[in-house]
Every structure is written in structure tokens, then in C-alpha cells.
Amino acid sequence: MNSVNVRSLLVRGMLAGLAAGVLALIVAYLLGEPRVDAAIAYEDAHAAPGAPEMEIVSRSLQSTAGLATGVLLYGVALGGIAALAYCFALGRIGRFSPRATAALLSGVALVAVYVVPFLKYPANPPSVGDPETIGKRTTLYFLMMALSVLLAVAAVIVGKRIAPRLGTWYATVVAVLGFTVAVGLAYAFLPAINEVPEDFSATLLWQFRLAALAIQLTLWTSFGLLFGHLAERLLNPKPATATATAATTAVATPETSPETAASAH
């Protein structure tokens, strides 16, 4: 792939990421923020008596401009990185169209980057978790994410190598099963973390985690669809229709003048 296409795909990826970020922002504001407010209310109700802590950034600013800035920047960064990964994957993972490759890449990225780490270390609302273990929890989460991405890449490589012997279908099944077993082993060996207070609402916790999953699902799905459409238009432009071709030919060919027609007779 030449540098012009890479640059064009990078720009389209960032634009698609920005548009996907707008959709994810709507989901985050409608589904996520009410659960965050409920968790903060629980935290305030169970806080130790004394003077309340001063807010450096107000909650209203966090839930509006702060949320929008974070989600949109994340969408643009995600789009750029995913576009570069797309340039590498296109034509190397199978004979898929540009649109199908974008959809496949987005689905795999959603599973490897978010779903697999989420199932081991799910998102928690405010007031859940010990502040003294935040460093440990963050390290374990990103370690699980890195392992998941590496295992996904290894599964793709193994699937490609065994496909000539087993066929595409069985090679895919073997690669997926191998990925699942490896992830299961990682789940078993990495330490579990459960710091949810006993009296914290299980319903609120469940709703918050579903909202977090919905945000990521919206972001990756919309990005895959939007970027796939833009990549398809760039890499496989539609040919001119028969009508347009005929019209162009008619304009390019001068009409026969009456004198020419008369001389022909």
C-alpha cells in the first residue's frame, strides 16, 4: 500500500473515530452519567463526618465538557490507531473487501481490547474500590489487555499458517479455540479483585457495567461501519454507470452537421 493511501486512510480513520465518539458520547451521557451520579450519592452518604472535600472540577463540568473532551479525543485516537492497523491487515487476513476487513478488524479489536479485559476486571463506578490499590488494579487491567491483544495476534497468525492444511473454516475454529483456552489460563493465573462494598447496590453496579459495555460497543461498531464505508469508497471507487458513460461519449463526440449529412447523400 502506497503512502498516499495510508495517509488518506489515517485521515478517514480519525474522522470515523470522531463521528463514532459523538455516538458513544450520547450513550455515555444517557446511560452512564445517571449511574455515576447515583454512585457518588452513595459515596457521599457513607463518607466520614467532617468538612466536605473541595471539588477541583465541578461535577456539572465533568459530566458535560469533561466527558465530551475525553470521549471525543479517545475516539479520534482510536480511529487513528485502528486505521494504521487496518493498513497492515488489509489483504493479509484473507480475501475480504475493504468494508468487510474494517468490520472484522473492529469486531476483533472490541473483543481483544475491551471485552476480554472487562470480563476479568470489569468497570466499577465511583465509591467502589480501595484508593490504595488503584495502582495495582490499573496495572493488572492493562496487563490483561496487552495479553489479550498479543493472543489475538498470535491466533490470527496461527490460523493463517494452518489454513492451507485444514481449510479456512477449521483453521478459524482452531485459532478461536486456542485464543479462548489461552485467555482462560490468563484468567486463572492473574489475581482476582473484588472490592465492592457489601451494602453497595448490586443493581446499580450491574447497570453501570452494562452502560460501560454499551459505550464501547457503540464506539467500535459505529467506527467499523463508518470507516468501512469510507475505506471502500477510497480503495474501490464505483465505476461510472452506463448512462453516465453514454452521456460523456455524446458530449465528447461532435454532432454531424446538416452540410456533412447532405454531402454524405
Side-chain angles (χ1 to χ4, degrees):
M1 181 175 293
N2 58 53
S3 59
V4 175
N5 283 341
V6 172
R7 184 167 59 251
S8 299
L9 286 172
L10 178 61
V11 172
R12 283 162 173 78
M14 296 174 70
L15 290 176
L18 178 62
V22 172
L23 297 177
L25 174 62
I26 296 173
V27 176
Y29 186 78
L30 295 178
L31 298 183
E33 287 303 309
R35 278 73 193 181
V36 173
D37 290 335
I40 292 176
Y42 169 89
E43 187 177 29
D44 293 340
H46 291 75
E53 296 183 1
M54 183 186 305
E55 286 186 333
I56 300 177
V57 180
S58 66
R59 174 62 189 146
S60 60
L61 184 61
Q62 293 176 14
S63 61
T64 52
L67 177 66
T69 302
V71 174
L72 295 180
L73 288 178
Y74 178 75
V76 172
L78 175 150
I81 296 172
L84 294 177
Y86 176 87
C87 293
F88 178 80
L90 186 63
R92 291 184 172 92
I93 59 175
R95 297 180 179 179
F96 299 105
S97 67
R99 183 175 298 170
T101 302
L104 182 61
L105 180 65
S106 297
V108 172
L110 172 64
V111 172
V113 174
Y114 187 78
V115 174
V116 170
F118 175 85
L119 293 177
K120 177 64 177 178
Y121 302 112
N124 288 324
S127 74
V128 173
D130 184 357
E132 296 183 358
T133 64
I134 187 171
K136 175 184 176 182
R137 287 184 279 123
T138 303
T139 301
L140 288 173
Y141 180 84
F142 281 104
L143 176 60
M144 187 68 246
M145 181 188 296
L147 286 174
S148 177
V149 172
L150 291 175
L151 290 173
V153 173
V156 173
I157 294 174
V158 170
K160 287 286 291 180
R161 290 188 176 181
I162 65 177
R165 296 195 302 271
L166 301 181
T168 302
W169 171 257
Y170 289 107
T172 303
V173 172
V174 170
V176 171
L177 288 177
F179 174 78
T180 305
V181 171
V183 168
L185 292 174
Y187 281 1
F189 283 101
L190 287 176
I193 295 178
N194 184 13
E195 298 178 347
V196 180
E198 293 183 359
D199 58 344
F200 191 85
S201 172
T203 301
L204 176 59
L205 180 63
W206 178 247
Q207 290 176 345
F208 178 85
R209 289 175 174 175
L210 284 181
L213 183 60
I215 293 169
Q216 294 292 328
L217 184 62
T218 301
L219 183 68
W220 285 101
T221 302
S222 56
F223 171 78
L225 295 175
L226 292 170
F227 181 66
H229 173 72
L230 295 176
E232 187 79 24
R233 293 185 61 182
L234 173 68
L235 301 176
N236 288 338
K238 292 183 178 180
T241 61
T243 304
T245 304
T248 303
T249 304
V251 171
T253 304
E255 296 183 357
T256 305
S257 62
E259 292 82 0
T260 306
S263 62
H265 289 288

